[in-house]
Amino acid sequence: GQNIDQPTEMTATEGAIVQINCTYQTSGFNGLFWYQQHAGEAPTFLSYNVLDGLEEKGRFSSFLSRSKGYSYLLLKELQMKDSASYLCAVRDGSTNAGKSTFGDGTTLTVKP
Amino acid sequence: DVKVTQSSRYLVKRTGEKVFLECVQDMDHENMFWYRQDPGLGLRLIYFSYDVKMKEKGDIPEGYSVSREKKERFSLILESASTNQTSMYLCASSYRVEAFFGQGTRLTVV
C-alpha cells in the first residue's frame, strides 16, 4: 500500500515563496502528482514527476527524490488565488489503470 | 478540453435506499475512478475501471459496487445507503498520466 504525509495547513504572504512537502512510503511507484483544489471545486492537475529532479512550470515547480521518498511543490510570487488545497498523490505502477493514492492535502492560505 | 460530468451536484437520500451516481467522460479514456472525499481523510479510492466491464476494488469498496457497460460511463452504486456514506463523491478519468475530475456529487444520507 501507500502512505503519504503532507502538512495539514500552511499560511504565506502574497508575493512570497512557499514550499509544500510530501513524503511517501510505497510498495510500488510510478510517479508523483500534485493537484490543486479550490474550495467546492474539483481537483485540477498541476504536475507529474516520475524521475528525480525539478520540473518547472511557470510559478509552480515540483521536485522529486525517489531514494528519499520525498517531493515538494514550490509556489513563487504567491497570489491570493493560490489559496487552495494542494494534494500530493502517488501513482501505483502495479495495475493497468495506474491508480493513485492521495495524501490528505495541504490547505494553503495566502494573506495580503 | 476533457469533460467529466457527474449527474448530480447535490443529492439527499434516505437510509436504506439504493443510490446511483453517474459519471460520463467525453475523451475516450480507458481508465475511470470513483473517490470519496471527507474532511481530514483526503481522497480515498472506492473502485476503478481500466476497460469496459472491467472493475477493481480500491481502498474502501465496502458498501459500494460499480458498473461500466460503456466506455464513457462509470456508475457508482450504493446498495443500501447509510449515514456514514454521507460524503463528497468525485469521479475521474485518465488516459496515460493526469486524471481529470468531475465537479463532484455531495451526497447526504438522512
Side-chain angles (χ1 to χ4, degrees):
Chain A
Q2 320 279 29
N3 186 36
I4 300 170
D5 288 311
Q6 50 182 130
T8 303
E9 295 179 335
M10 297 184 72
T11 302
T13 304
E14 192 176 16
I17 299 173
V18 71
Q19 178 175 311
I20 302 174
N21 296 324
C22 172
T23 58
Y24 62 90
Q25 296 169 311
T26 65
S27 56
F29 180 85
N30 195 24
L32 186 143
F33 296 92
W34 284 96
Y35 286 84
Q36 180 190 59
Q37 185 178 24
H38 286 100
E41 297 183 10
T44 55
F45 172 81
L46 288 177
S47 67
Y48 176 62
N49 294 67
V50 65
L51 300 176
D52 290 351
L54 188 68
E55 296 275 346
E56 296 186 76
K57 193 186 293 185
R59 293 189 299 114
F60 292 7
S61 303
S62 56
F63 172 83
L64 175 66
S65 169
R66 288 172 297 170
S67 62
K68 294 182 179 178
Y70 169 68
S71 172
Y72 67 73
L73 180 69
L74 193 71
L75 291 75
K76 302 176 185 176
E77 301 170 16
L78 280 172
Q79 301 175 9
M80 299 299 290
K81 67 178 182 179
D82 297 331
S83 291
S85 182
Y86 291 86
L87 310 175
C88 171
V90 172
R91 190 180 188 196
D92 181 347
S94 64
T95 66
N96 292 329
K99 69 183 181 104
S100 296
T101 300
F102 284 77
D104 292 349
T106 299
T107 300
L108 173 66
T109 302
V110 180
K111 296 188 173 179
Chain B
D1 282 349
V2 174
K3 194 167 185 181
V4 180
T5 304
Q6 294 183 227
S7 53
S8 303
R9 194 73 194 267
Y10 299 94
L11 212 52
V12 180
K13 295 291 181 181
R14 295 192 181 276
T15 302
E17 275 193 80
K18 189 168 187 176
V19 181
F20 293 85
L21 302 183
E22 306 286 347
C23 176
V24 177
Q25 51 97 0
D26 66 358
M27 282 301 291
D28 205 36
H29 287 169
E30 278 84 9
N31 307 318
M32 296 189 75
F33 309 84
W34 274 107
Y35 293 90
R36 62 177 284 177
Q37 187 173 31
D38 301 287
L41 295 176
L43 268 80
R44 292 179 291 166
L45 182 64
I46 304 171
Y47 267 96
F48 64 100
S49 168
Y50 55 88
D51 203 351
V52 175
K53 296 190 186 295
M54 305 303 290
K55 58 187 178 184
E56 288 196 29
K57 294 179 180 179
D59 300 316
I60 50 164
E62 296 78 20
Y64 303 94
S65 62
V66 290
S67 171
R68 192 156 182 212
E69 296 298 316
K70 294 185 177 182
K71 193 173 186 180
E72 67 270 19
R73 186 180 296 270
F74 192 36
S75 302
L76 179 70
I77 304 154
L78 287 66
E79 298 291 342
S80 176
S82 64
T83 54
N84 63 13
Q85 292 178 309
T86 291
S87 185
M88 171 67 83
Y89 290 88
L90 288 163
C91 173
S93 74
S94 74
Y95 175 52
R96 289 192 184 277
V97 177
E98 66 189 276
F100 297 86
F101 285 84
Q103 286 298 99
T105 297
R106 184 164 295 281
L107 172 67
T108 302
V109 182
V110 297

